[in-house]
Amino acid sequence: MINRYNSRTLEAICIPLAALLFSLLLFGIFCAFAGADPFGVYASIYRSAFGSWRAFQNTLLRAAPLMLSSLCTALPARLGLVIIGNEGAIIVGGLGAVAAGLSLSTAPPTIVQIAMAIASIVCGGLWIGAVGALRHYRGVNETISSLLLNYIAIALLNHLVGGPMRDPSSLNKPSSYPIAEINMLGDIPGTRVHYGLIYGLVACVIAYFLIQRTTFGFAARVAGGNIRAARIAGLPVGKLTIMICFLAGSCAGLAGMVEVAAVHGRANESLNANYGYSGILVAFIARHNPLAATLVAILLGGILASGGSLQRSHNLPDATVLVFQGLVFLVVLFSESLYGRFFKDGSAVTT
């Protein structure tokens, strides 16, 4: 016998896994049409992502911002909101971190790093919090508003690094003044992986605990399940919406801080690295579960790490991995219609 809880657990595992396998099949067909051996491409992806300790560290480097970015979509989804402004929140979070790091450059490194983290959290939180406020007070569709805010953030980045924040020595690639080396996030001892990975793991665990083990999370899930019932029950839906959106944006903003304080050392166009859009995919594959997002982020991080290998070994464009991401996203969206079709009676099903 399979009860309702077990059936949902099976669906939550089997349907995303089947979607990923079907995406691999479609990607293999694409590679075959592009003149590459699909099985050779799969082998190259594995070697580049997980084939050695060095390769796995490269995967973890890319997984760290994906974990944080995915929460920008996963948390509001508990309220029934579809937020896709992750990229914009990462950018403004990175800009806030750079501004804090430069203004406090003479302070002790620990203070500077804390200030950069707080600045990125506040900037990213306010950015997506504004989406929640527009949704609640003006009825503006959160998907459209968050998407448009991405472009505003990119324009803001280009303006600041090309104007008020520009380092005159950055000629070919306009950039902000660099953060002092002593204020950068270091690597985890014995690895080439920076502490941003720890930030991502801790944020996902906290987000899971907040949503699944607190009254605040319960209220958010109730409001997401039936907003009219939540209002009748007296739940502050408006406050929940804004607070969840603020928390979601703060996670993506922290990803921006990780990028500038552990990878680039300054703000420039590299901050717009599409981690925000990839984070949306992570959230959907993980079914908006913060703990599952950590594993999916590692998987997708490995795929991103293989782009250069596909170009060198199979003469495929570096953007081939983006095609794979797109296929995964389309198949995962389609798979949403499959939930509940295999166990329909809601109580128990005989296997």
Side-chain angles (χ1 to χ4, degrees):
M1 301 290 289
I2 299 179
N3 59 32
R4 173 185 288 183
Y5 176 78
N6 289 335
S7 69
R8 288 181 176 178
T9 301
L10 284 174
E11 284 185 339
I13 295 173
C14 294
I15 292 180
L17 182 60
L20 287 173
L21 292 176
F22 187 65
S23 301
L24 279 172
L25 175 62
L26 294 178
F27 182 62
I29 295 173
F30 167 81
C31 292
F33 275 106
D37 175 21
F39 295 102
V41 170
Y42 297 150
S44 294
I45 291 176
Y46 174 78
R47 286 194 300 269
S48 300
F50 310 106
S52 66
W53 174 231
R54 182 183 180 85
F56 187 56
Q57 289 182 88
N58 289 333
T59 293
L60 294 178
L61 285 172
R62 288 165 173 79
L66 290 178
M67 293 177 191
L68 292 166
S69 173
S70 68
L71 297 178
C72 190
T73 296
L75 291 178
R78 297 295 182 167
L79 273 172
L81 303 177
V82 182
I83 299 291
I84 57 175
N86 316 38
E87 193 75 19
I90 289 175
I91 291 173
V92 297
L95 289 172
V98 168
L102 295 177
S103 62
L104 297 174
S105 58
T106 58
T110 302
I111 300 299
V112 175
Q113 292 174 4
I114 292 174
M116 287 193 293
I118 293 174
S120 65
I121 287 171
V122 172
C123 289
L126 292 176
W127 196 257
I128 301 300
V131 174
L134 287 171
R135 170 67 180 180
H136 176 65
Y137 292 110
R138 306 302 301 173
V140 178
N141 183 277
E142 74 282 354
T143 306
I144 295 175
S145 62
S146 60
L147 174 63
L148 294 178
L149 280 175
N150 287 337
Y151 297 102
I152 295 175
I154 293 171
L156 180 64
L157 171 67
N158 293 333
H159 168 70
L160 291 178
V161 300
M165 297 177 67
R166 180 171 183 173
D167 179 1
S169 63
S170 59
L171 301 177
N172 298 325
K173 187 177 184 179
S175 303
S176 69
Y177 287 92
I179 298 172
E181 185 69 26
I182 195 174
N183 295 329
M184 296 281 288
L185 289 181
D187 294 339
I188 299 172
T191 72
R192 297 172 49 250
V193 183
H194 54 67
Y195 278 100
L197 177 65
I198 304 298
Y199 288 8
L201 292 172
V202 171
C204 287
V205 171
I206 292 175
Y208 178 83
F209 179 82
L210 179 68
I211 294 298
Q212 300 293 340
R213 296 290 186 267
T214 66
T215 54
F216 174 80
F218 177 74
R221 284 183 283 125
V222 169
N226 191 323
I227 192 169
R228 291 185 63 186
R231 287 195 172 112
I232 292 173
L235 293 178
V237 175
K239 291 182 179 180
L240 284 172
T241 300
I242 295 173
M243 290 177 66
I244 285 287
C245 286
F246 180 88
L247 291 174
S250 67
C251 292
L254 188 60
M257 179 267 186
V258 167
E259 282 299 289
V260 299
V263 181
H264 305 299
R266 60 178 73 203
N268 52 40
E269 63 180 16
S270 297
L271 192 55
N272 181 23
N274 292 324
Y275 282 124
Y277 299 116
S278 298
I280 299 170
L281 179 58
V282 171
F284 273 88
I285 296 177
R287 296 284 295 165
H288 310 300
N289 184 317
L291 291 185
T294 60
L295 299 178
V296 177
I298 292 173
L299 175 62
L300 193 58
I303 294 172
L304 292 176
S306 66
S309 175
L310 298 184
Q311 187 177 30
R312 293 188 301 270
S313 303
H314 303 278
N315 201 29
L316 291 172
D318 186 50
T320 300
V321 292
L322 298 181
V323 174
F324 183 46
Q325 284 188 57
L327 290 172
V328 172
F329 192 61
L330 289 175
V331 174
V332 167
L333 287 179
F334 172 78
S335 70
E336 291 290 319
S337 63
L338 301 178
Y339 288 92
R341 291 195 175 189
F342 300 101
F343 306 96
K344 293 185 177 180
D345 69 1
S347 57
V349 178
T350 304
T351 58

